[in-house]
Amino acid sequence: DMATLEQAVSAIASARHIDLFATGITSWFMAQDLQARLFRLGLSANAWVDYHLQRVAAAAQDARGVVLVVSHVGGLPSMLEAVDIARRQGARVVSLTQPGTPLADRTDVLLALSVPDDAVMHVGIDVYMTHLTAIEILTVLVARLVGLEMEWREEQRERRRNVDDTTQQDNR
């Protein structure tokens, strides 16, 4: 759903700060990867796997922030508590999870990922690849939006420089 994806991209690109929460080793890897990507784009972002730190980070959020949660299962009580805290602080919650999970029900912008269960592992390689693909798409779209904003800001700075130069020449 492109409209939902655009909502997520807009929320992330305009956030004062982004906290990424994850539970489980696969989701934690994804959250760390996305945090590094956002940080390289110049966005303020931290990834948290420890549920105590997730709660502390959630409590520090406000209406200008985003909590981005990566969880295939979407039901760990400690993670849900952190999400509830962030929502009470006014933060927007963006989640990469399955539809119909408790996390999906608490999410402002749901990037729903439906992946069949693996015959051997509950969270198998298909989940991993699906999450990586979603993160790649999200990163490219955020980079595009952030890049456009940076170009606009640079154009505005250049216009101000031209006005300042003209004003200084007129004062001579």
Side-chain angles (χ1 to χ4, degrees):
D1 177 13
M2 278 308 288
T4 301
L5 188 56
E6 288 173 6
Q7 287 177 357
V9 167
S10 177
I12 292 165
S14 64
R16 175 189 57 84
H17 180 74
I18 304 135
D19 282 311
L20 294 98
F21 298 166
T23 55
I25 196 67
T26 302
S27 295
W28 169 234
F29 172 77
M30 300 297 164
Q32 278 188 309
D33 182 55
L34 184 52
Q35 181 270 331
R37 292 168 183 239
L38 296 174
F39 190 74
R40 285 193 301 267
L41 292 174
L43 301 175
S44 174
N46 288 320
W48 309 99
V49 69
D50 180 274
Y51 75 92
H52 291 291
L53 293 176
Q54 288 175 356
R55 293 175 73 184
V56 171
Q61 278 287 354
D62 62 26
R64 299 168 297 167
V66 166
V67 168
L68 200 158
V69 186
V70 180
S71 175
H72 178 66
V73 177
L76 190 68
S78 59
M79 179 201 47
L80 297 173
E81 288 175 25
V83 167
D84 290 342
I85 292 168
R87 291 189 64 165
R88 283 194 299 270
Q89 296 301 102
R92 293 200 62 189
V93 177
V94 176
S95 295
L96 287 166
T97 192
Q98 298 179 86
T101 63
L103 175 59
D105 295 341
R106 289 168 163 83
T107 297
D108 297 307
V109 182
L110 174 62
L111 299 174
L113 302 174
S114 297
V115 182
D117 282 341
D118 188 278
V120 178
M121 299 170 28
H122 182 61
V123 180
I125 191 72
D126 292 347
V127 172
Y128 178 78
M129 296 306 292
T130 302
H131 277 80
L132 271 180
T133 302
I135 286 170
E136 186 67 29
I137 292 167
L138 194 58
T139 302
V140 168
L141 294 175
V142 169
R144 182 174 166 267
L145 185 56
V146 168
L148 291 173
E149 289 175 2
M150 292 171 94
E151 286 178 21
W152 181 83
R153 285 187 200 120
E154 186 56 37
E155 289 173 6
Q156 296 305 310
R157 274 191 284 257
E158 185 62 32
R159 287 184 183 148
R160 281 193 296 273
R161 275 189 230 123
N162 290 340
V163 168
D164 290 347
D165 290 346
T166 303
T167 304
Q168 287 177 359
Q169 289 173 359
D170 289 346
N171 289 334
R172 291 182 192 168

